[in-house]
Amino acid sequence: MEKFPLKQTKGPPVSPSYQAVNKKYTNGHPLENSQSSSRTRGFTDDEMIDINTNSGDHRHTRLEDEDGISHYSVSYGGTSDTGADIPGIGQYDDFHTIDWQRDIARDRMRHRHIVKKKQDSFWNLIEGAHDAWSGWLCVLLVGLCTGTVAGVIDIGASWMTDLKFGICPQAFWLNREQCCWSNETSFETGNCSQWLTWPEVLGQAKSGAGPYIISYLIFALWALLFAALSASLVRMFAPYACGSGIPEIKTILSGFIIRGYLGKWTLLIKCVGLILSVSSGLSLGKEGPMVHIACAIGNILSYLFPKYGRNEAKKREILSASAAAGVSVAFGAPIGGVLFSLEEVSYYFPLKTLWRSFFCALIAAFILRSINPFGNEHSVLFYVEYNKPWMFIELVPFILLGIIGGVIATIFIKANLYWCRFRKYSKLGQYPVTEVLVVTALTALIAFPNPYTRMNTSQLIYLLFSQCGIANSDPICDYNRNFTDVKSAIDLAAAGPGVYNAIWLLIVALVLKMIMTVFTFGIKVPCGLFIPSLCLGAIVGRIMGIFMEQLAYNYPKNWFFSGECSSGDDCITPGLYAMVGAAAVLGGVTRMTVSLVVIMFELTGGVRYIVPLMAAAMASKWVGDALGRQGIYDAHIALNGYPFLDSKDEFQHTSLAADVMQPKRNETLSVITQDSMTVDDVEGLLKDTEHNGYPVVVSKDSQYLVGFVLRKDLNLAIANAKRMVDGICGQSLVLFTSGNPPQTLGPPPLKLKKILDMAPITITDQTPMETVVDMFRKLGLRQTLVTHNGRLLGVITKKDVLRHIKQMDNEDPNSILFN
Amino acid sequence: MVKMKCILVSLVVFLSVSVVQAQFDDKRCKCICPSLSSVTNKTEKTHTERLMQTTNDPPNKCNCEVVMLPRVADKLNVSEMREFCPRCECKYENRKTTIIRYVVIIVIWIISILVVYMLFLILLDPLLNKRVKGNYQEHTNEEEDAQPGPMSHNMSARGNVLNRVSNQQDKWKRQVKEQRRNIYDRHTMLN
């Protein structure tokens, strides 16, 4: 791939044709321009007329444009041109907000250039074609890589999880299930000659007190080893790999730059660390980090395509598609992934991105499915297939589950946030690796005695979701069934003692998992939240399902079941309740609705349960919203103070732009004049102030706005000019006009019109903040200029808006992370 | 260096893969049936256990008649046999042990390489850096993207490559240090 698409073009090295329109105009009226610049001293009526003619001429050039080139070509002409001239222009510093408008305009320019070039030669035609399909190609590659990486993680994690229990000596790479795959003859889990538990490896008996203690110890030791490795790898190589990553991805997609967050090392360490931390038995999942991994893959691959790699706004289209692929492989739910990207993480989601996300999710799911990591023909461990009807009256327990789910989720969010805040501000935060080790040790010690916490969380979810058939021999399926009826293999039956025993264990597991997850989410290893919350909900749901089932068994004639259970059929499916409960808790934690329901029904392979899932998700969201305002991801964004302007919240205060804008009263606005400052002046200004951009005005007295120039561009352009152009020194005038300087003596002027944004978004000082906030959200602005009577008055940046919102909500406005 | 590692890894992977016995099949047919007592009403021990059988029959022959009946034929009469089979669950499954093998070995290798590199960075790197620091300092300024000239020959090219690698490594270390400061010291991110 070429790095500079605009540089490689054949033909004369003059500026591209859309630029030529601008140039033609400037060449055509040099006199007028020099006049205008010579007359800018002082504030006269002439000047106003002059400005008017200037803008009039701009309009004129637009009319001259016959092939429908829009107005941006004039105002942004320079930006894309200099992108190739001065390295680094159009890129952003760490922790800065991107300017969507500017980047999209830049891309439009580039696209127009390619379209125009197409006719020139065959090579250019190919280049054009490559440009056109590069978006699809990029998401194809992202899908391929995401699917493969997900397969590797799935296989690695399932193998390493079972390593805590034993080993398959003849083929050490197989986990317990795969080891016993072809020689299974009995239901007893230990009854497989190929698989050796650790006591057996050490020459002990299979069961008894001694072996139990040995396996307990070895279990805890492996867990500690994995967690320690994970935490220290993260700390050593890529600290950004810790956590779930979804709050950060949301922030990045809303237009924030975190350098290195989606880099190669983060990707590698997140994958490896995820395998290790999942297998350490901590109460965490791999689904959330999978979104981060997919986005990192998308970011890395987008550098193969300069169209995306060099344009932050365009890159976010690829990242949205990658996020969809991440969820697609995490749950084997391609459509759910697309909707997740749309509903939860993406900020700017045009239809084009929707289709690309769809394609990307499809490819990723296909690849993972063909890798077949679990040997069950599906891409998740807890895929279940259901085809049982449900009764209308069952909606009542489903909604009840939704309410319980909302309550559990709120308790979880509050507790977790309290703990995370405590970690942030107390001494605890100074011992990240120790904290991981302590949490792991406690988790391992507590989890081992209870079979439901000992097993892998995904397996537990699978167990809770699945129906009790003849294949299922867990105590949870200890019903007094004898399968005497051929027609309905599974009939309603009385629960045996095993079931009641299992319920108690499950309740203990619920409490333990809840507490453990509160302390786990936020430790410095890669950790996701989907699996633990699904698990909490599935436990609650399963218990409720068993309760309902026994109710139906004992009172089949009750009005509540409206006679549908009297035939002795299996009219209540506890597994379905588990599923609904899982959806409810997950919905309450993340506040997802549509994508959650789609993910859940893609997991079950049937559309029959959409209504129960919808009812539960809705009830849980209502309860959650009533008890606590934010979902866990928004709460973490607020905790970290990421500059995320939520498009879901409404701004309801009556402030005006003048109240928010910088500078406040008694301060002066730092501006650059278009043709009267020297390089020294500008450098002094850059040194004295820390603003990220400066408005350019006609003169300091008149404050008529010309445009806006970014600090970074200014720095780069001056440095570049000092290197490349002879005679530029401290006394050179900095010109943002296109004409010649008024005086011909002295050093040559520095012409910086190329980096000037001539079409900054402006508002008046009386604009209500509601409108301003809307503009920031919908247009993705980085800053807007405030004028009064046509003269520049101040600047509102995204940071000002966020601070203002925080202030209005009575929160600390200084908590926002920004540079 | 990286290339060498790659070759080494692939070599070891191939070696370890070639030692494999073909004992673990890639497909199976698994049948699970309820206990015989559900059709015979006998209460002997052999009749009250659920039954499971795994064979490697092809998918079209993966049913109770082929897989299960020969095993229980002596215990059931004809009519019982006809009743017994509809209650069984037979499932044909396949998997890819080769992929699992490669993946697990690669994962082990990646983890061990990372651990070795981490130990190197923790233990040896400070020692090495202390020695080199004296004559190294002048190189660290803005020569990061200096390209090796076209006429540079073996020796200088190698030196350049080494320099560039170590420059890259320094840059990366700085970035990681910055990330660490953000997360572990200042707690501004990822709390």
Side-chain angles (χ1 to χ4, degrees):
Chain A
M1 299 301 137
E2 69 275 296
K3 263 196 162 168
F4 302 102
L6 298 177
K7 235 184 181 174
Q8 275 223 338
T9 49
K10 310 274 185 297
V14 289
S15 51
S17 45
Y18 43 82
Q19 181 63 27
V21 175
N22 212 350
K23 283 272 164 69
K24 205 197 296 161
Y25 145 69
T26 53
N27 294 341
H29 312 268
L31 190 68
E32 213 175 284
N33 267 288
S34 62
Q35 274 173 354
S36 89
S37 31
S38 65
R39 255 191 274 143
T40 45
R41 316 247 171 265
F43 171 48
T44 58
D45 280 346
D46 279 354
E47 194 185 312
M48 279 185 84
I49 295 165
D50 213 51
I51 290 164
N52 284 340
T53 40
N54 239 337
S55 61
D57 266 346
H58 272 285
R59 220 169 288 139
H60 185 54
T61 53
R62 278 175 215 152
L63 291 177
E64 270 182 2
D65 250 352
E66 275 162 29
D67 44 32
I69 291 178
S70 82
H71 324 286
Y72 282 110
S73 59
V74 174
S75 44
Y76 285 97
T79 1
S80 91
D81 194 27
T82 46
D85 269 348
I86 306 171
I89 285 209
Q91 289 165 11
Y92 300 90
D93 282 334
D94 208 356
F95 302 118
H96 276 243
T97 322
I98 68 167
D99 193 335
W100 292 84
Q101 293 300 308
R102 182 164 169 250
D103 279 2
I104 289 172
R106 243 167 23 101
D107 180 67
R108 240 179 264 137
M109 297 294 304
R110 196 198 49 79
H111 181 68
R112 234 171 264 143
H113 173 69
I114 285 173
V115 168
K116 235 188 189 139
K117 276 271 174 187
K118 238 182 191 171
Q119 284 94 37
D120 290 2
S121 73
F122 184 66
W123 176 245
N124 285 330
L125 191 70
I126 293 179
E127 256 181 10
H130 173 71
D131 182 72
W133 83 312
S134 63
W136 292 99
L137 186 64
C138 189
V139 295
L140 171 75
L141 293 177
V142 172
L144 292 175
C145 294
T146 309
T148 316
V149 169
V152 170
I153 291 174
D154 283 343
I155 292 174
S158 69
W159 171 73
M160 228 178 255
T161 306
D162 280 357
L163 200 61
K164 287 186 307 204
F165 300 101
I167 197 167
C168 191
Q170 283 154 325
F172 70 92
W173 53 86
L174 295 179
N175 62 10
R176 201 201 67 75
E177 196 198 341
Q178 300 293 333
C179 187
C180 304
W181 206 67
S182 41
N183 308 66
E184 223 171 3
T185 45
S186 159
F187 295 95
E188 301 287 319
T189 42
N191 210 352
C192 159
S193 53
Q194 270 81 20
W195 178 257
L196 295 185
T197 57
W198 289 115
E200 284 178 283
V201 174
L202 295 175
Q204 300 275 323
K206 201 172 278 178
S207 53
Y212 183 82
I213 291 168
I214 289 176
S215 38
Y216 201 154
L217 274 179
I218 289 178
F219 177 87
L221 285 180
W222 277 116
L224 274 177
L225 175 69
F226 293 150
L229 267 182
S230 178
S232 45
L233 285 179
V234 164
R235 197 193 151 91
M236 192 69 213
F237 293 119
Y240 280 175
C242 68
S244 113
I246 291 182
E248 285 76 25
I249 297 289
K250 270 183 90 163
T251 316
I252 287 175
L253 284 178
S254 81
F256 192 53
I257 305 276
I258 307 179
R259 290 239 170 275
Y261 195 73
L262 301 174
K264 297 183 218 55
W265 273 100
T266 314
L267 172 66
L268 177 67
I269 296 301
K270 190 122 195 175
C271 294
V272 173
L274 189 58
I275 294 177
L276 287 167
S277 57
V278 166
S279 12
S280 72
L282 283 165
S283 177
L284 48 83
K286 59 182 168 47
E287 276 65 12
M290 213 73 110
V291 176
H292 182 187
I293 287 170
C295 282
I297 291 172
N299 178 50
I300 290 165
L301 288 177
S302 75
Y303 283 108
L304 295 178
F305 304 90
K307 179 182 178 183
Y308 296 100
R310 298 170 64 81
N311 190 323
E312 292 290 341
K314 292 293 280 180
K315 192 194 279 173
R316 273 150 184 76
E317 292 179 12
I318 298 290
L319 294 185
S320 288
S322 316
V327 175
S328 161
V329 291
F331 290 107
I335 302 174
V338 175
L339 289 173
F340 176 81
S341 179
L342 173 65
E343 184 181 358
E344 188 64 30
V345 292
S346 292
Y347 202 75
Y348 168 72
F349 204 81
L351 267 186
K352 198 169 64 182
T353 310
L354 178 78
W355 297 321
R356 289 208 182 123
S357 307
F358 183 73
F359 179 62
C360 191
L362 163 84
I363 295 292
F366 172 74
I367 293 295
L368 183 61
R369 168 68 190 71
S370 56
I371 289 176
N372 193 7
F374 299 108
N376 63 352
E377 314 270 311
H378 297 290
S379 30
V380 270
L381 188 58
F382 44 87
Y383 180 92
V384 280
E385 204 148 16
Y386 266 119
N387 202 19
K388 291 263 174 199
W390 53 279
M391 293 178 291
F392 183 72
I393 201 72
E394 279 185 287
L395 271 181
V396 177
F398 290 151
I399 288 172
L400 198 63
L401 270 180
I403 293 169
I404 297 173
V407 173
I408 289 182
T410 313
I411 295 171
F412 172 77
I413 292 174
K414 294 239 154 111
N416 180 253
L417 267 180
Y418 176 81
W419 185 247
C420 284
R421 198 167 290 130
F422 175 72
R423 185 188 293 124
K424 182 174 178 171
Y425 294 115
S426 73
K427 276 202 151 174
L428 176 67
Q430 294 168 12
Y431 308 101
V433 180
T434 322
E435 189 196 358
V436 171
L437 290 180
V438 169
V439 170
T440 315
L442 287 178
T443 308
L445 291 179
I446 294 171
F448 190 79
N450 186 338
Y452 293 113
T453 47
R454 188 193 310 170
M455 66 168 74
N456 185 357
T457 317
S458 299
Q459 273 165 354
L460 176 59
I461 294 175
Y462 176 68
L463 179 69
L464 295 168
F465 278 8
S466 54
Q467 278 174 291
C468 286
I470 41 169
N472 202 333
S473 61
D474 194 84
I476 206 167
C477 288
D478 178 30
Y479 291 95
N480 298 326
R481 287 191 179 116
N482 41 16
F483 303 103
T484 40
D485 196 354
V486 179
K487 285 280 173 328
S488 65
I490 308 152
D491 51 358
L492 213 54
V499 175
Y500 292 111
N501 202 8
I503 285 179
W504 284 114
L505 285 176
L506 280 176
I507 290 173
V508 173
L510 174 72
V511 176
L512 289 181
K513 284 243 173 225
M514 174 102 182
I515 296 170
M516 288 183 318
T517 315
V518 166
F519 291 109
T520 307
F521 189 67
I523 58 174
K524 300 289 182 280
V525 290
C527 57
L529 193 61
F530 284 91
I531 290 285
S533 37
L534 279 177
C535 176
L536 293 181
I539 295 176
V540 176
R542 185 80 189 203
I543 292 171
M544 184 171 228
I546 293 173
F547 174 73
M548 289 299 293
E549 183 192 42
Q550 292 309 306
L551 213 62
Y553 174 74
N554 289 323
Y555 309 99
K557 303 268 188 314
N558 195 304
W559 59 268
F560 187 81
F561 301 106
S562 51
E564 287 188 52
C565 289
S566 46
S567 60
D569 270 0
D570 185 21
C571 63
I572 305 269
T573 326
L576 176 59
Y577 282 74
M579 214 170 321
V580 172
V585 173
L586 186 55
V589 170
T590 60
R591 302 291 151 79
M592 297 193 286
T593 48
V594 183
S595 43
L596 174 72
V597 171
V598 175
I599 287 174
M600 291 308 288
F601 88 68
E602 280 187 275
L603 273 180
T604 57
V607 288
R608 196 187 272 254
Y609 306 112
I610 288 182
V611 172
L613 291 170
M614 279 171 85
M618 205 65 246
S620 144
K621 188 179 164 61
W622 278 336
V623 172
D625 282 344
L627 295 178
R629 202 159 49 89
Q630 294 165 313
I632 187 98
Y633 297 131
D634 292 328
H636 272 262
I637 285 176
L639 172 72
N640 286 307
Y642 297 136
F644 180 71
L645 194 56
D646 200 343
S647 44
K648 282 176 275 216
D649 289 343
E650 275 168 46
F651 185 83
Q652 288 160 328
H653 309 286
T654 52
S655 41
L656 295 178
D659 307 332
V660 181
M661 117 200 145
Q662 297 284 348
K664 301 278 179 226
R665 267 173 247 290
N666 337 327
E667 289 167 47
T668 50
L669 176 67
S670 330
V671 291
I672 298 176
T673 55
Q674 63 172 351
D675 56 359
S676 57
M677 284 173 89
T678 61
V679 171
D680 275 345
D681 291 342
V682 172
E683 282 183 330
L685 183 69
L686 287 173
K687 205 169 282 170
D688 293 341
T689 57
E690 289 181 331
H691 307 298
N692 286 318
Y694 299 90
V696 178
V697 293
V698 172
S699 74
K700 283 217 162 138
D701 306 323
S702 70
Q703 299 268 34
Y704 286 126
L705 182 66
V706 176
F708 193 80
V709 63
L710 294 176
R711 180 197 192 89
K712 185 172 185 188
D713 293 1
L714 208 52
N715 270 329
L716 283 169
I718 290 176
N720 191 54
K722 277 188 172 165
R723 252 206 330 263
M724 315 292 275
V725 186
D726 287 335
I728 297 284
C729 63
Q731 275 71 48
S732 305
L733 273 184
V734 177
L735 288 190
F736 291 99
T737 52
S738 32
N740 289 319
Q743 83 268 42
T744 43
L745 294 169
L750 172 56
K751 293 187 180 180
L752 292 180
K753 186 158 192 276
K754 284 172 172 182
I755 60 164
L756 181 66
D757 176 5
M758 302 250 304
I761 305 280
T762 52
I763 53 170
T764 64
D765 58 342
Q766 294 303 306
T767 317
M769 270 315 276
E770 288 163 335
T771 317
V772 180
V773 171
D774 249 17
M775 282 170 74
F776 269 91
R777 270 183 205 146
K778 289 180 183 155
L779 299 177
L781 300 183
R782 178 184 160 120
Q783 73 278 316
T784 171
L785 302 174
V786 185
T787 59
H788 178 72
N789 289 348
R791 292 190 219 176
L792 182 67
L793 206 61
V795 183
I796 298 182
T797 61
K798 196 168 176 185
K799 188 181 185 180
D800 297 326
V801 173
L802 286 162
R803 276 164 170 276
H804 183 68
I805 291 176
K806 287 251 174 188
Q807 220 157 26
M808 285 301 186
D809 294 344
N810 292 324
E811 286 165 40
D812 175 25
N814 290 321
S815 60
I816 303 167
L817 175 79
F818 234 129
N819 265 18
Chain B
M1 204 166 99
V2 177
K3 212 168 189 181
M4 282 248 301
K5 260 181 198 167
C6 284
I7 295 170
L8 206 72
V9 168
S10 45
L11 200 75
V12 175
V13 166
F14 273 111
L15 281 180
S16 42
V17 160
S18 53
V19 206
V20 167
Q21 313 98 316
Q23 197 193 352
F24 296 93
D25 295 327
D26 270 6
K27 41 190 164 303
R28 71 170 173 186
C29 169
K30 182 179 176 186
C31 280
I32 300 174
C33 295
S35 54
L36 293 176
S37 59
S38 60
V39 285
T40 56
N41 286 332
K42 286 180 194 156
T43 50
E44 300 151 44
K45 177 136 199 312
T46 50
H47 283 240
T48 52
E49 283 181 338
R50 286 186 303 168
L51 300 166
M52 181 196 282
Q53 181 80 21
T54 30
T55 62
N56 44 12
D57 288 302
N60 55 338
K61 286 192 181 153
C62 182
N63 52 36
C64 166
E65 280 79 12
V66 178
V67 177
M68 213 55 172
L69 277 191
R71 198 178 146 200
V72 295
D74 51 336
K75 292 171 191 152
L76 299 175
N77 58 36
V78 179
S79 67
E80 282 168 347
M81 273 183 194
R82 207 177 299 131
E83 257 184 68
F84 182 68
C85 261
R87 289 161 217 201
C88 291
E89 275 178 19
C90 285
K91 221 169 23 180
Y92 180 78
E93 288 174 320
N94 60 22
R95 62 170 182 177
K96 290 177 181 131
T97 38
T98 335
I99 288 182
I100 296 177
R101 188 163 65 205
Y102 277 108
V103 166
V104 168
I105 290 168
I106 287 170
V107 166
I108 295 173
W109 269 107
I110 290 175
I111 291 177
S112 24
I113 287 170
L114 282 174
V115 168
V116 169
Y117 188 39
M118 180 168 70
L119 292 179
F120 169 77
L121 283 182
I122 292 174
L123 302 175
L124 289 178
D125 211 38
L127 293 177
L128 288 178
N129 264 3
K130 212 184 279 169
R131 214 180 305 151
V132 185
K133 216 161 205 173
N135 55 0
Y136 186 67
Q137 207 65 304
E138 53 206 322
H139 267 288
T140 41
N141 49 11
E142 286 195 12
E143 285 186 303
E144 277 168 21
D145 36 12
Q147 303 269 330
M151 49 202 155
S152 59
H153 290 297
N154 271 345
M155 268 311 285
S156 61
R158 241 187 89 184
N160 263 341
V161 166
L162 275 182
N163 265 351
R164 262 204 301 173
V165 167
S166 57
N167 270 341
Q168 283 287 331
Q169 207 190 10
D170 280 353
K171 204 172 138 198
W172 169 70
K173 273 185 202 160
R174 268 201 307 280
Q175 284 171 355
V176 173
K177 207 172 274 175
E178 179 66 30
Q179 294 185 9
R180 241 175 262 152
R181 208 170 38 241
N182 279 342
I183 293 177
Y184 297 114
D185 301 336
R186 288 189 294 185
H187 302 287
T188 50
M189 284 182 67
L190 286 159
N191 287 293

